[in-house]
Amino acid sequence: MESLTSRMQAVQSPIIPVVGELIKNSPGTISLGQGVVYYNPPPEAKEFLPKFFAEPTNNLYKSVEGIPPLLTALAGKLQAFNNIEINEENCIVVTAGSNMGFMNAILAITNPGDEIILNTPYYFNHEMAIAMGGCRAVLVATDENYQLRKEAIAQAITPKTRAVVTISPNNPTGVVYSQAALRQVNQICSDRGIYHISDEAYEYFTYNGVKHVSPGAFGNSSKYTISLFSLSKAYGFASWRIGYMVIPKHLFVAIKKVQDTILICPPVISQYAALGALQAKEEYLKSNIGAIAQVRQLVLDSLNRLQGLCSITPANGAFYFFLKVNAQMDAFELVKRLIQEHKVAVIPGTTFGMGDGCYLRVAYGALQKETAKEGIERLVQGLETIVRS
């Protein structure tokens, strides 16, 4: 069977199904693991579905880059919320989620053996996509507050570097990068003639007056910035699989080749639902994210009881906290014990490239107040019991 080995052996296994199986085998477990929201898509998403069924040709393949009405709606959203203007130098491509957008970008801008810079802790699917593309992830550590270190990024660039990846608001840490930091990365990429891939899946999830910043809005950034967006989080669209990318126009043909090969076109019924979701009233996002903000504070108040046992970095974005457990323990073994002994699930930091120490990602977006309160109480008690034993 040796001949059946492939490049996939070098790719880490996705952690969510692994933890999911542990949860399945421990009934009653509350999950603080997967990064999803508790709420459903807005009613406008369903209201647009009859429009899909009313047109018989919608059962046929449509444009690789997305249906024109959705592209128009997204252009309006990008201008209004992100300050990104769609013009002759850039364009939008609708994807089956922003993970696909990232894979599209990697295949479009690299050759096998090229390098992509990831800031650690990284988002595991990014590292997996880079490996699948036959490229190498070059890891650059963030500072003690998980903020970017521009000098370290610049020093990591080699002749094989094709892009620097940033995620803000960040998965897994929840931190938000400042406009100044993102501008510095953009400038480094511009000066070196490489791309800045900006993952903005959590763009709406910011707290305490912190504002989201899109690098694609910076002046003269169209030539080297690839911006990735998603409806999965803000609009409760996880299984509908709709994301989109804003790319330099010169990448359009390459991206279309990738997308046509893998997908042909984004699911048209999901595109209609997305078109409807974008019509939702402002109150939809405001109220739902406001509820998550309340859960966030509840989680933070509880986690603060772990001072001494864990280090908790302030985070004003996404719906995650990233804990460093002050003990010499294997993170995955700790996760297993928390599930089996305390009925609460989190994700081990090793999945995010943090092997030097014991780290845990705590996700709170999927829970409403009462469940969150019980889940975080189990986590606090579980960590106190296990780490002190």
Side-chain angles (χ1 to χ4, degrees):
M1 284 295 185
E2 286 295 318
S3 62
L4 296 181
T5 60
S6 78
R7 72 181 72 188
M8 299 309 294
Q9 286 190 312
V11 179
Q12 67 165 303
S13 296
I15 191 65
I16 299 298
V18 174
V19 173
E21 191 64 25
L22 290 171
I23 293 170
K24 182 181 173 183
N25 293 331
S26 187
T29 295
I30 294 175
S31 178
L32 301 169
Q34 193 161 25
V36 293
V37 296
Y38 73 89
Y39 55 88
N40 292 320
E44 290 87 348
K46 298 176 186 176
E47 290 166 7
F48 265 63
L49 296 184
K51 297 178 185 289
F52 168 83
F53 290 111
E55 175 49 66
T57 64
N58 279 337
N59 295 310
L60 304 176
Y61 296 129
K62 296 296 181 183
S63 299
V64 176
E65 66 270 27
I67 59 174
L70 181 55
L71 294 173
T72 299
L74 291 172
K77 175 267 175 184
L78 288 162
Q79 180 75 69
F81 185 79
N82 305 94
N83 201 27
I84 295 175
E85 179 187 358
I86 301 303
N87 52 39
E88 66 280 355
E89 294 182 349
N90 61 11
C91 59
I92 303 168
V93 175
V94 179
T95 59
S98 60
N99 270 8
M100 182 173 188
F102 188 83
M103 190 81 238
N104 284 353
I106 294 302
L107 294 176
I109 68 174
T110 66
N111 290 309
D114 283 344
E115 297 172 350
I116 304 291
I117 292 176
L118 298 181
N119 296 282
T120 56
Y122 54 65
Y123 171 45
F124 53 85
N125 281 140
H126 286 175
E127 190 271 342
M128 293 166 69
I130 292 164
M132 286 181 196
C135 298
R136 187 170 80 92
V138 174
L139 308 184
V140 174
T142 49
D143 69 15
E144 65 276 7
N145 292 315
Y146 303 122
Q147 294 292 331
L148 300 171
R149 296 163 59 234
K150 69 177 189 302
E151 296 86 359
I153 292 171
Q155 289 171 4
I157 295 172
T158 74
K160 289 189 173 183
T161 305
R162 292 295 171 263
V164 176
V165 180
T166 61
I167 310 169
S168 183
N170 188 261
N171 177 11
T173 66
V175 303
V176 180
Y177 301 146
S178 68
Q179 179 171 309
L182 291 169
R183 278 190 182 276
Q184 288 166 346
V185 173
N186 247 35
Q187 191 62 52
I188 290 168
C189 292
S190 175
D191 293 344
R192 303 294 187 94
I194 60 178
Y195 293 97
H196 179 184
I197 303 177
S198 172
D199 187 329
E200 303 175 41
Y202 299 89
E203 58 184 328
Y204 291 104
F205 296 88
T206 57
Y207 316 101
N208 299 322
V210 172
K211 300 295 183 184
H212 173 67
V213 177
S214 292
F218 300 154
N220 196 33
S221 67
S222 293
K223 293 180 182 177
Y224 51 87
T225 304
I226 299 170
S227 305
L228 307 179
F229 302 95
S230 175
L231 272 72
S232 294
K233 312 304 180 184
Y235 289 97
F237 251 57
S239 72
W240 289 86
R241 308 313 305 138
I242 291 292
Y244 54 104
M245 46 194 320
V246 178
I247 60 173
K249 202 63 168 282
H250 65 258
L251 289 177
F252 187 49
V253 171
I255 295 286
K256 284 181 71 173
K257 288 179 183 178
V258 178
Q259 182 138 304
D260 184 73
T261 300
I262 297 173
L263 187 67
I264 298 183
C265 68
V268 178
I269 190 168
S270 294
Q271 291 189 70
Y272 269 79
L275 186 57
L278 293 171
Q279 317 299 316
K281 296 178 177 62
E282 190 177 329
E283 182 60 25
Y284 169 79
L285 291 177
K286 187 176 179 182
S287 62
N288 284 313
I289 295 174
I292 287 179
Q294 292 179 19
V295 170
R296 172 187 175 276
Q297 191 58 52
L298 183 154
V299 170
L300 185 57
D301 291 344
S302 295
L303 290 178
N304 281 333
R305 289 162 42 198
L306 293 170
Q307 296 291 349
L309 283 182
C310 297
S311 302
I312 304 152
T313 299
N316 286 309
F319 33 75
Y320 306 113
F321 288 112
F322 201 63
L323 308 186
K324 181 179 182 182
V325 180
N326 299 326
Q328 294 299 313
M329 303 183 71
D330 178 82
F332 185 66
E333 287 303 313
L334 178 55
V335 167
K336 285 202 292 188
R337 287 190 63 184
L338 285 168
I339 294 171
Q340 293 165 354
E341 298 170 20
H342 297 275
K343 305 286 188 183
V344 63
V346 290
I347 303 296
T350 44
T351 298
F352 306 97
M354 301 296 278
D356 185 17
C358 183
Y359 296 84
L360 303 173
R361 189 190 75 174
V362 179
Y364 54 86
L367 305 178
Q368 292 179 287
K369 264 190 175 179
E370 287 311 309
T371 313
K373 189 173 182 180
E374 174 63 25
I376 204 67
E377 193 62 32
R378 293 183 190 181
L379 177 64
V380 170
Q381 290 182 1
L383 287 173
E384 288 178 334
T385 301
I386 295 169
V387 175
R388 287 196 169 123
S389 64

